[in-house]
Each structure stands twice: as structure tokens, then as C-alpha cells.
Amino acid sequence: MFSAEEEREGLIKEISRLCSFSNLKELEVNKTRRSTPFVENKAFFRRGEVGDSVNHLTPEMVERLNKVIEEKLGGSALTFKTGF
């Protein structure tokens, strides 16, 4: 939880900016280094658009992801919309 002072100082917006897809994909480390010798880093960055998962995940993968999300984050105030 953030304090009112942190919010006034723009800390939440700065964290959001630093964690954004647009910022992360532009970092030099993500452009030039490989995470593994077999997979290019660009494989980890998609368009970051809602609904784009249908182009990358099978229904079985979505089901598994939903189970993991519920297991790890169930009972929190966070909600996720996944599926086809």
C-alpha cells in the first residue's frame, strides 16, 4: 500500500512506467542479450494488448494458467480476465 505522500510524488505512476511493456522492451539488455542460447529475447515481448493471448495460448494453457493464478492469488483483491 502506498502512502498519500508517495502518491502525490508520483511514485505509483513511475513504478507503472518502469514496469510497462513499452519501457521494458526498449531496455538495452532486452534488445541485445539472450536469456537462453535457444530463444531470442523478442519471444518474451508481445504486443501487450488485451485479448492477444488467443494468438499464443491454447485453451489447455489458459486453464492451467487460471489454476495457478487462483492458487497463488486466490483471496487477494486482484482479478484477472483470461480465456477465449
Side-chain angles (χ1 to χ4, degrees):
M1 185 169 232
F2 295 97
S3 69
E5 181 181 348
E6 290 170 325
E7 190 171 349
R8 276 192 310 274
E9 291 176 358
L11 183 62
I12 297 169
K13 287 182 181 181
E14 181 62 9
I15 290 171
S16 294
R17 184 191 69 76
L18 290 170
C19 295
S20 70
F21 284 110
S22 58
N23 182 62
L24 292 172
K25 74 178 184 179
E26 294 302 322
L27 294 176
E28 192 61 31
V29 66
N30 292 329
K31 289 180 176 182
T32 59
R33 293 189 188 163
R34 284 183 168 234
S35 300
T36 73
F38 308 106
V39 180
E40 291 184 48
N41 283 353
K42 69 180 182 178
F44 297 107
F45 295 97
R46 298 186 343 254
R47 294 187 315 228
E49 295 177 1
V50 174
D52 187 45
S53 62
V54 299
N55 298 311
H56 304 277
L57 303 176
T58 65
E60 293 81 15
M61 294 165 88
V62 171
E63 183 178 337
R64 185 172 178 200
L65 179 60
N66 286 337
K67 287 179 182 178
V68 170
I69 290 171
E70 181 59 33
E71 178 185 310
K72 301 292 183 183
L73 301 173
S76 72
L78 301 173
T79 59
F80 297 90
K81 293 181 180 180
T82 60
F84 292 86

